[in-house]
Amino acid sequence: MVIVAGHITVESGQRDAYLTGCVDVVAQARSAAGCLDFAISADLADTGRINIFERWESQASVEDFRSSGPSDDQRAAILSASVAEYDVSGERSLFSG
């Protein structure tokens, strides 16, 4: 399993527009082969921060989806980014049901 996690920052006044531009990407990712979870969301404490979380079955699944990255407009809006991939060998459920 591969987890992609981190955050990007955009101008506070541009965050909502940026997130609106991500709706189709989230839908495409969630329907992609090997995607277990995919979220791009507003941070509750920082008005310029956007949190990224993805969970994939394999590195191959991530790479297949990554062939299409952010649009040029989205890339231009990013002020900074701290996002990394993590290889996971196991998991434990914290909640049942």
Side-chain angles (χ1 to χ4, degrees):
M1 182 185 315
V2 176
I3 291 178
V4 178
H7 69 276
I8 62 172
T9 57
V10 298
E11 292 289 339
S12 295
Q14 293 182 2
R15 185 175 72 180
D16 289 345
Y18 188 95
L19 290 169
T20 298
C22 293
V23 171
D24 288 340
V25 171
V26 172
Q28 290 171 1
R30 288 180 179 172
S31 67
C35 181
L36 302 171
D37 195 8
F38 194 99
I40 301 173
S41 58
D43 188 83
L44 295 176
D46 182 340
T47 59
R49 180 174 162 146
I50 297 170
N51 297 313
I52 309 293
F53 179 82
E54 305 172 24
R55 194 164 54 100
W56 297 88
E57 288 180 350
S58 67
Q59 185 65 41
S61 298
V62 174
E63 291 172 6
D64 286 346
F65 182 74
R66 287 278 174 258
S67 61
S68 58
S71 71
D72 290 339
D73 289 340
Q74 286 176 320
R75 190 172 287 120
I78 297 172
L79 301 176
S80 65
S82 177
V83 181
E85 288 183 359
Y86 303 89
D87 297 315
V88 179
S89 61
E91 67 180 273
R92 290 172 300 284
S93 179
L94 297 177
F95 301 100
S96 60

XYZ file of all heavy atoms in Angstrom:
718
model
N 0.851 -1.172 0.000
C 0.000 0.000 0.000
C 0.897 1.235 0.000
O 1.970 1.239 0.592
C -0.898 0.000 1.233
C -1.853 1.182 1.269
S -2.846 1.299 2.784
C -3.381 -0.367 3.035
N 0.441 2.273 -0.662
C 1.151 3.552 -0.709
C 0.211 4.632 -0.189
O -0.955 4.690 -0.582
C 1.601 3.895 -2.142
C 2.245 5.263 -2.201
C 2.555 2.835 -2.684
N 0.735 5.465 0.708
C -0.002 6.627 1.188
C 0.724 7.870 0.713
O 1.947 7.960 0.815
C -0.130 6.621 2.722
C -1.062 5.485 3.144
C -0.632 7.968 3.241
C -1.253 5.334 4.621
N -0.028 8.802 0.177
C 0.485 10.118 -0.207
C -0.168 11.092 0.759
O -1.392 11.127 0.879
C 0.116 10.468 -1.658
C 0.618 11.859 -2.027
C 0.653 9.411 -2.628
N 0.650 11.861 1.481
C 0.097 12.769 2.479
C 0.940 14.027 2.583
O 2.143 14.003 2.347
C 0.031 12.078 3.840
N 0.282 15.108 2.939
C 0.975 16.373 3.141
C 0.027 17.532 2.931
O -1.177 17.400 3.104
N 0.605 18.655 2.532
C -0.230 19.840 2.303
C 0.412 20.765 1.280
O 1.614 20.683 1.024
C -0.469 20.592 3.615
C 0.767 21.242 4.153
N 1.673 20.557 4.921
C 1.237 22.492 4.025
C 2.661 21.368 5.244
N 2.428 22.557 4.713
N -0.418 21.602 0.701
C 0.048 22.682 -0.156
C -0.499 23.979 0.424
O -1.450 23.963 1.211
C -0.399 22.508 -1.628
C -1.920 22.515 -1.730
C 0.194 21.240 -2.220
C -2.435 22.544 -3.155
N 0.111 25.090 0.051
C -0.424 26.388 0.462
C -0.705 27.224 -0.774
O 0.019 27.164 -1.772
C 0.528 27.150 1.406
O 1.789 27.309 0.772
C 0.707 26.420 2.716
N -1.791 27.966 -0.691
C -2.198 28.912 -1.722
C -2.578 30.206 -1.014
O -2.691 30.233 0.214
C -3.391 28.380 -2.564
C -3.019 27.090 -3.298
C -4.622 28.155 -1.696
N -2.781 31.270 -1.759
C -3.266 32.505 -1.143
C -4.614 32.225 -0.478
O -5.457 31.525 -1.040
C -3.445 33.603 -2.198
C -2.150 34.097 -2.809
C -1.319 34.925 -1.851
O -1.861 35.456 -0.860
O -0.106 35.026 -2.089
N -4.815 32.772 0.710
C -6.058 32.523 1.454
C -7.299 32.783 0.611
O -8.247 32.002 0.650
C -6.103 33.403 2.706
O -5.076 33.043 3.584
N -7.305 33.854 -0.143
C -8.460 34.209 -0.954
C -8.673 33.301 -2.155
O -9.723 33.340 -2.789
N -7.691 32.458 -2.477
C -7.787 31.563 -3.630
C -8.110 30.121 -3.245
O -8.345 29.283 -4.109
C -6.474 31.575 -4.429
C -6.175 32.885 -5.100
C -4.896 32.810 -5.915
O -4.249 31.772 -6.009
N -4.530 33.917 -6.523
N -8.130 29.839 -1.941
C -8.286 28.444 -1.526
C -9.602 27.827 -1.998
O -9.609 26.717 -2.546
C -8.163 28.298 -0.015
C -8.202 26.823 0.406
C -7.976 26.623 1.865
N -9.152 27.060 2.612
C -9.235 27.002 3.928
N -8.226 26.540 4.642
N -10.324 27.408 4.548
N -10.716 28.516 -1.830
C -12.004 27.946 -2.235
C -12.044 27.669 -3.733
O -12.535 26.623 -4.168
C -13.155 28.849 -1.821
C -13.381 28.856 -0.314
O -12.856 27.964 0.382
O -14.079 29.774 0.162
N -11.525 28.601 -4.529
C -11.496 28.409 -5.982
C -10.593 27.233 -6.348
O -10.921 26.432 -7.234
C -11.033 29.680 -6.682
N -9.469 27.112 -5.661
C -8.557 26.001 -5.913
C -9.264 24.676 -5.633
O -9.212 23.745 -6.438
C -7.297 26.124 -5.059
C -6.245 25.108 -5.420
C -5.224 25.434 -6.300
C -6.288 23.812 -4.914
C -4.268 24.497 -6.659
C -5.342 22.868 -5.266
C -4.329 23.212 -6.137
O -3.392 22.275 -6.496
N -9.927 24.591 -4.482
C -10.627 23.360 -4.117
C -11.759 23.033 -5.089
O -11.958 21.871 -5.444
C -11.149 23.455 -2.687
C -10.065 23.424 -1.605
C -10.655 23.802 -0.256
C -9.381 22.072 -1.556
N -12.483 24.045 -5.526
C -13.543 23.817 -6.514
C -12.954 23.227 -7.793
O -13.550 22.333 -8.397
C -14.283 25.136 -6.813
O -14.905 25.595 -5.603
C -15.341 24.956 -7.888
N -11.774 23.697 -8.160
C -11.097 23.166 -9.349
C -10.610 21.739 -9.179
O -10.240 21.088 -10.156
N -10.613 21.225 -7.961
C -10.147 19.860 -7.686
C -11.263 18.830 -7.638
O -10.986 17.635 -7.531
C -9.386 19.843 -6.361
S -7.845 20.763 -6.389
N -12.510 19.251 -7.705
C -13.636 18.323 -7.564
C -13.555 17.195 -8.591
O -13.691 16.013 -8.239
C -14.983 19.073 -7.652
C -16.152 18.101 -7.729
C -15.141 20.022 -6.473
N -13.308 17.519 -9.850
C -13.227 16.483 -10.884
C -12.040 15.553 -10.665
O -12.129 14.346 -10.892
C -13.159 17.106 -12.278
C -14.478 17.720 -12.712
O -15.530 17.357 -12.151
O -14.450 18.581 -13.621
N -10.910 16.104 -10.210
C -9.720 15.293 -9.952
C -10.009 14.273 -8.855
O -9.638 13.101 -8.973
C -8.521 16.193 -9.552
C -7.338 15.361 -9.074
C -8.127 17.089 -10.706
N -10.680 14.704 -7.796
C -11.018 13.793 -6.703
C -11.942 12.674 -7.215
O -11.722 11.493 -6.925
C -11.655 14.549 -5.517
C -12.181 13.573 -4.470
C -10.646 15.514 -4.906
N -12.930 13.037 -7.981
C -13.848 12.028 -8.531
C -13.110 11.044 -9.438
O -13.338 9.835 -9.363
C -14.984 12.713 -9.287
N -12.219 11.559 -10.293
C -11.445 10.683 -11.183
C -10.548 9.754 -10.385
O -10.449 8.559 -10.685
C -10.612 11.519 -12.149
C -11.421 12.241 -13.185
C -10.583 13.234 -13.977
O -9.383 13.381 -13.771
N -11.231 13.944 -14.890
N -9.889 10.288 -9.373
C -8.987 9.467 -8.566
C -9.752 8.361 -7.864
O -9.323 7.200 -7.861
C -8.254 10.335 -7.549
N -10.875 8.722 -7.254
C -11.637 7.722 -6.500
C -12.167 6.602 -7.378
O -12.432 5.499 -6.902
C -12.782 8.395 -5.747
C -12.279 9.217 -4.572
C -13.398 9.879 -3.828
N -12.893 10.647 -2.692
C -13.644 11.449 -1.962
N -14.942 11.574 -2.225
N -13.113 12.115 -0.955
N -12.318 6.858 -8.665
C -12.781 5.808 -9.578
C -11.618 5.109 -10.291
O -11.839 4.161 -11.047
C -13.764 6.383 -10.596
O -13.114 7.290 -11.460
N -10.383 5.542 -10.038
C -9.209 4.947 -10.687
C -8.896 3.588 -10.082
O -9.102 3.356 -8.879
C -7.999 5.872 -10.539
N -8.389 2.706 -10.910
C -7.983 1.384 -10.436
C -6.925 1.533 -9.354
O -5.970 2.289 -9.503
C -7.430 0.565 -11.597
N -7.131 0.848 -8.244
C -6.148 0.841 -7.170
C -6.282 1.947 -6.149
O -5.563 1.970 -5.158
N -7.215 2.889 -6.354
C -7.406 3.964 -5.383
C -8.286 3.469 -4.238
O -9.403 3.020 -4.460
C -8.047 5.189 -6.032
S -8.286 6.561 -4.872
N -7.761 3.568 -3.026
C -8.509 3.170 -1.840
C -9.139 4.369 -1.144
O -10.160 4.236 -0.463
C -7.588 2.427 -0.870
C -6.923 1.173 -1.444
C -5.873 0.646 -0.482
C -7.967 0.124 -1.767
N -8.528 5.544 -1.287
C -9.059 6.777 -0.713
C -8.318 7.947 -1.344
O -7.145 7.824 -1.719
C -8.881 6.797 0.805
C -9.719 7.866 1.502
O -10.561 8.503 0.841
O -9.529 8.062 2.714
N -8.995 9.078 -1.453
C -8.379 10.263 -2.064
C -9.131 11.481 -1.557
O -10.350 11.565 -1.697
C -8.506 10.184 -3.592
C -7.629 11.149 -4.334
C -6.422 10.742 -4.871
C -8.016 12.470 -4.498
C -5.616 11.631 -5.563
C -7.222 13.371 -5.193
C -6.017 12.943 -5.729
N -8.416 12.409 -0.919
C -9.055 13.604 -0.375
C -8.149 14.819 -0.535
O -6.945 14.739 -0.292
C -9.387 13.409 1.096
N -8.736 15.908 -0.946
C -8.090 17.216 -0.991
C -9.041 18.126 -0.229
O -10.188 18.305 -0.636
C -7.902 17.707 -2.440
C -7.045 16.720 -3.237
C -7.288 19.096 -2.455
C -6.942 17.039 -4.729
N -8.583 18.682 0.896
C -9.521 19.398 1.762
C -8.912 20.640 2.385
O -7.702 20.742 2.579
C -10.014 18.471 2.863
O -8.922 17.986 3.619
N -9.795 21.569 2.737
C -9.393 22.803 3.416
C -8.946 22.486 4.834
O -9.566 21.685 5.521
C -10.567 23.781 3.446
N -7.879 23.119 5.255
C -7.411 23.000 6.635
C -8.307 23.857 7.526
O -8.687 24.968 7.145
C -5.959 23.470 6.723
C -5.361 23.196 8.078
O -4.913 22.059 8.290
O -5.349 24.124 8.916
N -8.652 23.369 8.698
C -9.561 24.092 9.582
C -8.911 25.281 10.292
O -9.613 26.205 10.704
C -10.145 23.141 10.629
C -11.034 22.033 10.072
C -11.482 21.102 11.195
C -12.228 22.604 9.332
N -7.585 25.279 10.436
C -6.920 26.327 11.205
C -6.153 27.335 10.355
O -5.894 28.445 10.810
C -5.974 25.695 12.218
N -5.775 26.969 9.135
C -4.955 27.825 8.277
C -5.704 28.055 6.968
O -5.899 27.125 6.188
C -3.609 27.146 8.036
C -2.646 27.965 7.205
O -3.084 28.881 6.478
O -1.434 27.674 7.267
N -6.101 29.288 6.696
C -6.955 29.588 5.535
C -6.243 29.481 4.191
O -6.893 29.549 3.151
C -7.568 30.992 5.663
O -6.517 31.953 5.748
C -8.475 31.093 6.887
N -4.935 29.297 4.187
C -4.212 29.113 2.935
C -3.742 27.688 2.715
O -3.165 27.380 1.681
N -4.010 26.821 3.666
C -3.496 25.448 3.597
C -4.554 24.488 3.068
O -5.722 24.551 3.464
C -3.044 25.005 4.990
C -2.491 23.605 5.041
C -1.944 23.316 6.418
N -1.807 21.886 6.626
C -0.848 21.331 7.334
N 0.050 22.091 7.935
N -0.793 20.032 7.476
N -4.115 23.588 2.205
C -4.960 22.531 1.652
C -4.283 21.202 1.969
O -3.118 20.993 1.621
C -5.137 22.708 0.127
C -5.868 24.023 -0.157
C -5.856 21.510 -0.479
C -5.891 24.419 -1.616
N -5.005 20.324 2.642
C -4.462 19.029 3.045
C -4.695 17.989 1.957
O -5.759 17.954 1.326
C -5.089 18.577 4.361
C -4.749 19.530 5.480
O -3.599 19.922 5.650
N -5.748 19.925 6.244
N -3.696 17.147 1.774
C -3.720 16.102 0.750
C -3.614 14.748 1.449
O -2.751 14.555 2.310
C -2.516 16.238 -0.209
C -2.376 17.653 -0.762
C -2.544 15.166 -1.293
C -3.475 18.099 -1.680
N -4.492 13.816 1.097
C -4.393 12.453 1.603
C -4.855 11.493 0.520
O -5.947 11.650 -0.037
C -5.244 12.225 2.855
C -5.142 10.806 3.351
C -4.077 10.419 4.123
C -6.100 9.869 2.987
C -3.958 9.097 4.548
C -5.989 8.550 3.404
C -4.915 8.159 4.189
N -4.010 10.529 0.215
C -4.335 9.507 -0.778
C -3.883 8.160 -0.244
O -2.857 8.068 0.427
C -3.601 9.770 -2.094
C -3.828 11.146 -2.675
C -2.937 11.430 -3.872
O -2.486 10.463 -4.540
O -2.673 12.605 -4.134
N -4.648 7.127 -0.571
C -4.259 5.762 -0.206
C -4.471 4.886 -1.436
O -5.565 4.867 -2.012
C -5.113 5.276 0.975
C -4.577 4.033 1.639
C -5.215 3.809 3.020
N -6.664 3.803 2.985
C -7.417 2.701 2.993
N -6.861 1.505 3.033
N -8.734 2.796 2.975
N -3.418 4.188 -1.838
C -3.413 3.401 -3.066
C -2.992 1.969 -2.781
O -2.200 1.718 -1.883
C -2.443 4.009 -4.075
C -2.837 5.386 -4.507
C -2.496 6.565 -3.899
C -3.659 5.729 -5.607
N -3.057 7.618 -4.574
C -3.778 7.138 -5.638
C -4.313 4.993 -6.588
C -4.517 7.809 -6.600
C -5.046 5.668 -7.557
C -5.139 7.060 -7.554
N -3.484 1.034 -3.594
C -3.125 -0.379 -3.447
C -1.645 -0.624 -3.716
O -1.038 -1.492 -3.105
C -3.947 -1.249 -4.401
C -5.388 -1.383 -4.000
C -6.183 -2.242 -4.959
O -5.677 -2.590 -6.060
O -7.328 -2.562 -4.619
N -1.057 0.137 -4.660
C 0.328 -0.125 -5.062
C 0.961 1.122 -5.676
O 0.260 2.065 -6.059
C 0.361 -1.253 -6.099
O -0.264 -0.814 -7.298
N 2.276 1.077 -5.797
C 3.002 2.166 -6.452
C 2.582 2.266 -7.918
O 2.457 3.368 -8.459
C 4.516 1.936 -6.346
C 5.346 3.069 -6.903
C 5.182 4.356 -6.118
O 5.131 4.335 -4.895
N 5.067 5.470 -6.804
N 2.335 1.144 -8.551
C 1.901 1.155 -9.954
C 0.582 1.909 -10.103
O 0.394 2.662 -11.065
C 1.775 -0.275 -10.475
N -0.336 1.729 -9.158
C -1.619 2.445 -9.203
C -1.403 3.949 -9.103
O -2.029 4.727 -9.822
C -2.527 1.993 -8.054
O -2.826 0.633 -8.141
N -0.511 4.368 -8.204
C -0.197 5.795 -8.054
C 0.362 6.338 -9.362
O -0.072 7.379 -9.856
C 0.824 6.030 -6.908
C 1.243 7.491 -6.857
C 0.262 5.593 -5.582
N 1.329 5.641 -9.926
C 1.989 6.105 -11.148
C 1.025 6.176 -12.320
O 1.095 7.109 -13.123
C 3.189 5.226 -11.455
C 4.306 5.421 -10.445
C 5.447 4.436 -10.592
O 5.450 3.640 -11.561
O 6.327 4.446 -9.717
N 0.132 5.213 -12.436
C -0.865 5.250 -13.514
C -1.721 6.504 -13.402
O -2.004 7.166 -14.394
C -1.759 4.011 -13.488
C -1.060 2.762 -13.979
O 0.021 2.880 -14.597
O -1.598 1.670 -13.729
N -2.133 6.841 -12.192
C -2.967 8.024 -12.003
C -2.172 9.311 -12.146
O -2.658 10.296 -12.690
C -3.645 7.993 -10.629
C -4.540 9.176 -10.416
C -5.754 9.264 -11.065
C -4.157 10.216 -9.586
C -6.580 10.362 -10.903
C -4.971 11.323 -9.398
C -6.186 11.399 -10.060
N -0.940 9.346 -11.701
C -0.114 10.554 -11.702
C 0.260 11.044 -13.094
O 0.776 12.145 -13.215
C 1.185 10.329 -10.934
C 1.008 10.259 -9.486
C 0.925 11.650 -8.868
N 0.621 11.490 -7.466
C -0.577 11.674 -6.944
N -1.568 12.073 -7.658
N -0.787 11.462 -5.670
N 0.021 10.272 -14.109
C 0.386 10.728 -15.453
C -0.287 12.054 -15.785
O 0.170 12.788 -16.654
C 0.039 9.660 -16.497
O -1.352 9.405 -16.493
N -1.346 12.392 -15.050
C -1.988 13.698 -15.223
C -1.919 14.436 -13.887
O -2.595 14.083 -12.945
C -3.447 13.524 -15.648
O -4.155 12.770 -14.698
N -1.058 15.427 -13.802
C -0.881 16.190 -12.567
C -1.808 17.387 -12.524
O -2.773 17.475 -13.292
N -1.527 18.349 -11.637
C -2.372 19.541 -11.549
C -2.332 20.335 -12.854
O -1.341 20.299 -13.578
C -1.748 20.358 -10.410
C -0.635 19.570 -9.862
C -0.422 18.369 -10.708
N -3.407 21.044 -13.140
C -3.432 21.893 -14.325
C -2.415 23.019 -14.153
O -1.935 23.281 -13.047
C -4.830 22.479 -14.532
O -5.098 23.446 -13.527
N -2.088 23.696 -15.239
C -1.132 24.812 -15.162
C -1.632 25.895 -14.221
O -0.854 26.479 -13.464
C -0.877 25.382 -16.554
C -0.081 24.424 -17.434
O 0.597 23.525 -16.890
O -0.138 24.573 -18.669
N -2.945 26.179 -14.249
C -3.504 27.194 -13.351
C -3.368 26.771 -11.887
O -3.027 27.584 -11.030
C -4.982 27.453 -13.667
C -5.180 28.185 -14.980
O -4.215 28.815 -15.465
O -6.297 28.133 -15.518
N -3.634 25.498 -11.608
C -3.499 25.007 -10.238
C -2.040 25.063 -9.797
O -1.736 25.491 -8.690
C -4.027 23.576 -10.121
C -5.527 23.487 -10.162
C -6.004 22.064 -10.148
O -5.416 21.197 -10.790
N -7.068 21.804 -9.426
N -1.148 24.634 -10.655
C 0.276 24.642 -10.323
C 0.747 26.065 -10.032
O 1.501 26.302 -9.092
C 1.080 24.027 -11.469
C 2.535 23.783 -11.104
C 3.277 23.002 -12.173
N 2.853 21.605 -12.151
C 2.290 20.979 -13.182
N 2.058 21.611 -14.305
N 1.947 19.718 -13.084
N 0.281 27.032 -10.810
C 0.684 28.428 -10.620
C 0.171 28.989 -9.294
O 0.791 29.888 -8.723
C 0.178 29.275 -11.787
N -0.941 28.479 -8.791
C -1.532 28.976 -7.546
C -0.822 28.453 -6.300
O -0.966 29.015 -5.220
C -3.011 28.615 -7.483
N -0.037 27.393 -6.443
C 0.628 26.782 -5.289
C 1.824 27.626 -4.869
O 2.748 27.849 -5.642
C 1.067 25.337 -5.609
C -0.163 24.474 -5.902
C 1.883 24.757 -4.462
C 0.160 23.075 -6.409
N 1.791 28.091 -3.620
C 2.897 28.877 -3.069
C 3.987 27.970 -2.506
O 5.175 28.281 -2.612
C 2.390 29.805 -1.966
C 1.319 30.817 -2.364
C 0.848 31.598 -1.146
C 1.854 31.762 -3.444
N 3.591 26.879 -1.874
C 4.547 25.908 -1.345
C 3.852 24.558 -1.242
O 2.622 24.481 -1.250
C 5.073 26.339 0.027
O 4.040 26.337 0.989
N 4.667 23.526 -1.157
C 4.107 22.171 -1.057
C 5.006 21.305 -0.195
O 6.239 21.416 -0.255
C 3.964 21.554 -2.443
N 4.382 20.474 0.610
C 5.084 19.477 1.408
C 4.245 18.209 1.355
O 3.340 18.009 2.168
C 5.250 19.963 2.856
O 5.867 18.961 3.636
N 4.494 17.387 0.346
C 3.722 16.169 0.117
C 4.719 15.037 -0.127
O 5.688 15.215 -0.861
C 2.781 16.327 -1.101
C 1.968 15.059 -1.325
C 1.868 17.528 -0.928
N 4.488 13.888 0.483
C 5.399 12.755 0.344
C 4.616 11.467 0.167
O 3.439 11.386 0.518
C 6.300 12.649 1.582
N 5.303 10.462 -0.381
C 4.739 9.122 -0.514
C 5.343 8.233 0.558
O 6.531 8.339 0.865
C 5.079 8.517 -1.879
C 4.336 9.127 -3.022
C 4.653 8.434 -4.335
O 5.475 7.487 -4.374
O 4.071 8.853 -5.348
N 4.517 7.350 1.110
C 4.954 6.419 2.149
C 4.566 5.006 1.743
O 3.416 4.753 1.397
C 4.294 6.760 3.490
C 4.569 8.177 3.938
C 3.732 9.220 3.552
C 5.670 8.463 4.729
C 3.988 10.527 3.957
C 5.937 9.765 5.133
C 5.093 10.791 4.746
O 5.349 12.088 5.137
N 5.508 4.087 1.792
C 5.229 2.677 1.556
C 4.768 2.061 2.877
O 5.412 2.235 3.894
C 6.483 1.957 1.064
C 6.952 2.495 -0.278
O 6.104 2.684 -1.156
O 8.170 2.720 -0.431
N 3.643 1.358 2.833
C 3.051 0.801 4.048
C 3.036 -0.715 3.927
O 2.593 -1.266 2.932
C 1.603 1.332 4.230
C 0.975 0.740 5.472
C 1.597 2.846 4.281
N 3.512 -1.374 4.979
C 3.549 -2.842 4.941
C 2.431 -3.479 5.751
O 2.201 -4.673 5.658
C 4.905 -3.348 5.450
O 5.105 -2.946 6.777
N 1.714 -2.704 6.542
C 0.616 -3.263 7.328
C -0.286 -2.170 7.843
O 0.024 -0.991 7.759
N -1.416 -2.585 8.385
C -2.351 -1.615 8.947
C -3.114 -2.234 10.099
O -3.234 -3.446 10.194
C -3.324 -1.102 7.878
C -4.288 -2.157 7.359
C -5.228 -1.593 6.299
O -6.277 -1.049 6.696
O -4.909 -1.727 5.118
N -3.593 -1.365 11.006
C -4.412 -1.765 12.136
C -5.637 -0.868 12.164
O -5.506 0.347 12.103
C -3.637 -1.612 13.448
C -2.518 -2.606 13.631
C -1.665 -2.293 14.846
N -1.020 -0.980 14.821
C 0.057 -0.673 14.080
N 0.583 -1.572 13.293
N 0.596 0.517 14.130
N -6.797 -1.429 12.299
C -8.024 -0.658 12.370
C -8.164 -0.038 13.756
O -7.973 -0.704 14.769
C -9.223 -1.538 12.072
O -10.412 -0.758 12.166
N -8.489 1.253 13.806
C -8.674 1.921 15.083
C -10.130 1.911 15.530
O -10.409 2.060 16.715
C -8.178 3.369 14.990
C -6.709 3.536 14.698
C -6.354 5.006 14.560
C -5.853 2.883 15.765
N -11.032 1.752 14.602
C -12.459 1.735 14.911
C -13.081 0.537 14.220
O -12.774 0.250 13.087
C -13.145 3.017 14.407
C -12.566 4.261 15.014
C -11.651 5.039 14.314
C -12.926 4.647 16.284
C -11.116 6.180 14.869
C -12.402 5.803 16.863
C -11.493 6.565 16.153
N -13.983 -0.110 14.884
C -14.673 -1.225 14.242
C -16.058 -0.783 13.823
O -16.638 0.108 14.417
C -14.775 -2.413 15.200
O -15.492 -2.052 16.353
N -16.568 -1.405 12.804
C -17.919 -1.090 12.361
C -17.911 -0.361 11.164
O -18.148 0.227 10.361
